[in-house]
Amino acid sequence: MEYHVRDLQLAELGKRRIEWAERDMPVLRSIRERFAKEKPFVGVRISACLHVTTETANLMITLKEGGAEVFLTASNPLSTQDDVAAALVHYFGIPVFAIKGEDRDTYYSHLHAVIRKEPHIVIDDGADLISTLHREYPQLAQKILGGMEETTTGVIRLRAMAERGVLLFPVIAVNDAMTKHMFDNRYGTGQSTIDGILRATNRLIAGSTFVVAGYGWCGKGVAQRARGMGATVVVTEVDPIKALEAKMDGFLVMPMIEAAKIGDFFVTVTGNTSVIREEHFKVMKDGAIISNAGHFDVEIDIKALEKLSVGKREVRNFVEEYTLYDGRRIYLLAQGRLVNLASAEGHPASVMDMSFANQALCAEYILKHHSQLERKVYKVPREIDTQVAQLKLASMGVQIDQLTPEQLSYLSSWEIGT
Ligand code: NAD
Ligand code: SAH
């Protein structure tokens, strides 16, 4: 079997951690049990580009139990859990191509390795796999039945491809399922970003000024959790509606140039580029801690930070100290890459349970419906979204009301007024 992981000796640890995550993924487990009986994916090859974590391992195992031949590469050079990669190879016979801290060339060579398996279905997180397929393997791309995309920025990139008429197969925007972004992006990013900052710095959040750039689903989660830990939270935005929402949710709202002067911690979660840049570094306090939980490593302009610096050294794992021309120090976490996945373990299993249940059910949907799908970006079918919510509620022991016949007829009537 072809694979590329750091060390197979780590497999035992990885297996135990995969099992620990599995205990908190009841929705995915119920899908896995059905797949194991029905084997919907026999003869199907699936290549996935996802963070190599314990939660992703459970998705890969689910698809394999459904009969698929699966291949996994990392969606970020820093997020791979080497023990999980080893366990997937050693105990589950799943080829993995991922090593934590791999350089850019290795990262792309791993993408090529899973593309060369000639998949029928692809799963992406950030659209690197799908864009590489389109750029370098258009003949293989033509043959793909469909794909799924896990994250906000990936969906934006794929919509741009569809609008320009260059997308060669249908893609389902898993991120846009309500049971994905309302929970994964908000509660997952909220908790795991704070976790990443704490593991990297071990600093006290209570009493600090905590700046969150972007008040989308992720930003709301991070802002809420930072407030919960006792910080004064400042939100920066470019969208007037989101800014108003942040203000009415009780946060301070101001431009980054003002926030930069007062922040102790900074987190960017915008999906945009150069959100913290030269003009901001110039006014930051000595000791400011900056990090990113949004897409890729472009939200913080690291080149500008380097230009302003006279020295740089690693002071703790995932903490780089930049000494500026005037002696101030700025601490950059996880090289500006996703802090929650680089210095912590990403979102907890309970929330990935819903994201990956959507992925598993969408893979099955593509297999059944690919002949009716066009080369477009599709929403997750409503039935899948609802089913995931129902299964999650059931696993939590929560019951809800049903509409009565009278209510059903009232909601579809127009005659009855005041
Ligand atoms: P979103 O579209 O809901 O929110 C992004 C927000 O950023 C928007 O409100 C937008 O107006 C704002 N914004 C854009 N440019 C800005 C700027 N210059 N300054 C301030 N605000 C700005 O997206 P989301 O679902 O919250 O995702 C945000 C990013 O996080 C995406 O790149 C997504 O892929 C990524 N993401 C990361 C994780 C993780 O585990 N770290 C999880 C989910 C999503
Ligand atoms: N390639 C991009 C990926 C964006 S990451 C980059 O490197 O910047 C954002 C995605 O990570 C989210 O949509 C979320 O679903 C996923 N994620 C968060 N925690 C995870 C975990 N524990 N396991 C797998 N994926 C996770």
Side-chain angles (χ1 to χ4, degrees):
M1 184 171 92
E2 192 200 349
Y3 62 86
H4 192 199
V5 301
R6 180 167 311 275
D7 180 3
L8 284 186
Q9 307 249 339
L10 299 169
E12 166 61 25
L13 173 63
K15 180 164 174 281
R16 273 187 275 135
R17 294 204 317 111
I18 292 169
E19 287 163 359
W20 173 250
E22 195 268 348
R23 284 178 206 145
D24 223 5
M25 302 183 88
V27 179
L28 193 62
R29 186 185 317 129
S30 68
I31 296 169
R32 195 182 76 211
E33 284 161 5
R34 177 170 68 77
F35 281 2
K37 279 191 221 120
E38 297 175 5
K39 299 277 179 208
F41 300 111
V42 169
V44 176
R45 288 186 298 278
I46 302 180
S47 289
C49 172
L50 292 167
H51 300 292
V52 180
T53 62
T54 55
E55 294 75 26
T56 298
N58 279 291
L59 172 63
M60 294 297 106
I61 294 164
T62 300
L63 296 169
K64 187 167 179 184
E65 290 216 5
E69 208 184 332
V70 292
F71 307 93
L72 177 62
T73 187
S75 63
N76 183 299
L78 274 190
S79 62
T80 298
Q81 298 171 6
D82 289 319
D83 57 336
V84 170
L88 283 173
V89 171
H90 183 73
Y91 288 107
F92 299 96
I94 294 178
V96 180
F97 301 84
I99 293 176
K100 188 174 177 93
E102 62 196 12
D103 61 20
R104 196 171 180 281
D105 288 348
T106 313
Y107 173 79
Y108 274 96
S109 76
H110 288 161
L111 286 178
H112 288 262
V114 302
I115 290 173
R116 282 197 295 268
K117 302 296 172 191
E118 304 197 10
H120 301 98
I121 293 176
V122 290
I123 310 180
D124 214 343
D125 182 345
D128 275 354
L129 181 66
I130 296 183
S131 67
T132 306
L133 249 169
H134 280 71
R135 270 195 320 271
E136 299 182 44
Y137 300 84
Q139 274 95 346
L140 287 185
Q142 302 269 9
K143 292 194 216 149
I144 287 180
L145 306 179
M148 284 89 70
E149 170 54 52
E150 171 77 5
T151 200
T152 315
T153 298
V155 171
I156 293 171
R157 292 174 81 189
L158 292 163
R159 289 227 163 89
M161 289 172 75
E163 270 158 31
R164 283 175 211 161
V166 296
L167 189 66
L168 293 172
F169 51 81
V171 179
I172 302 184
V174 166
N175 179 74
D176 294 358
M178 300 219 246
T179 48
K180 199 282 185 181
H181 65 264
M182 284 174 63
F183 302 91
D184 169 317
N185 299 27
R186 181 165 40 174
Y187 304 114
T189 313
Q191 178 166 318
S192 61
T193 299
I194 302 287
D195 186 15
I197 293 171
L198 292 181
R199 289 197 207 192
T201 65
N202 195 27
R203 283 283 170 88
L204 188 69
I205 291 185
S208 69
T209 299
F210 196 109
V211 180
V212 181
Y215 201 65
W217 289 103
C218 293
K220 287 189 222 304
V222 177
Q224 273 177 8
R225 292 299 174 257
R227 173 157 67 188
M229 294 193 75
T232 298
V233 179
V234 177
V235 169
T236 72
E237 252 297 345
V238 290
D239 177 336
I241 297 170
K242 299 276 179 59
L244 187 59
E245 189 185 11
K247 176 73 184 155
M248 293 215 184
D249 284 346
F251 297 107
L252 295 171
V253 178
M254 62 185 78
M256 182 57 87
I257 194 69
E258 298 304 323
K261 295 175 193 160
I262 57 173
D264 298 301
F265 295 94
F266 293 81
V267 177
T268 51
V269 256
T270 68
N272 208 342
T273 190
S274 299
V275 175
I276 300 184
R277 50 185 182 268
E278 182 170 345
E279 68 211 67
H280 305 127
F281 299 131
K282 283 186 168 162
V283 298
M284 278 182 184
K285 296 199 292 193
D286 179 31
I289 292 172
I290 55 175
S291 61
N292 169 50
H295 201 62
F296 296 137
D297 53 353
V298 297
E299 301 213 14
I300 299 170
D301 185 352
I302 300 169
K303 284 207 180 89
L305 181 57
E306 280 179 353
K307 220 175 73 193
L308 295 175
S309 301
V310 293
K312 168 180 151 182
R313 63 183 181 131
E314 190 177 58
V315 288
R316 285 169 64 95
N317 282 344
F318 302 108
V319 184
E320 266 169 338
E321 178 185 75
Y322 286 82
T323 305
L324 270 53
Y325 53 92
D326 58 359
R328 279 177 304 125
R329 287 150 306 173
I330 290 179
Y331 297 101
L332 173 69
L333 307 189
Q335 300 166 21
R337 293 193 180 274
L338 301 169
V339 69
N340 61 326
L341 280 135
S343 70
E345 294 169 66
H347 302 354
S350 172
V351 84
M352 293 314 295
D353 188 26
M354 291 192 276
S355 308
F356 286 164
N358 277 292
Q359 288 283 8
L361 294 176
C362 285
E364 187 183 32
Y365 181 88
I366 284 181
L367 206 57
K368 285 191 183 149
H369 299 278
H370 64 90
S371 57
Q372 297 126 49
L373 300 177
E374 295 168 34
R375 296 166 167 198
K376 293 203 297 212
V377 177
Y378 284 89
K379 290 193 162 155
V380 170
R382 181 82 196 180
E383 319 80 77
I384 291 185
D385 218 349
T386 308
Q387 189 191 347
V388 172
Q390 282 166 336
L391 289 169
K392 192 70 181 176
L393 281 172
S395 77
M396 296 167 119
V398 176
Q399 291 174 349
I400 61 169
D401 286 322
Q402 306 287 332
L403 287 170
T404 63
E406 186 198 2
Q407 288 168 340
L408 267 172
S409 119
Y410 179 77
L411 290 175
S412 56
S413 69
W414 57 271
E415 297 91 343
I416 308 162
T418 336

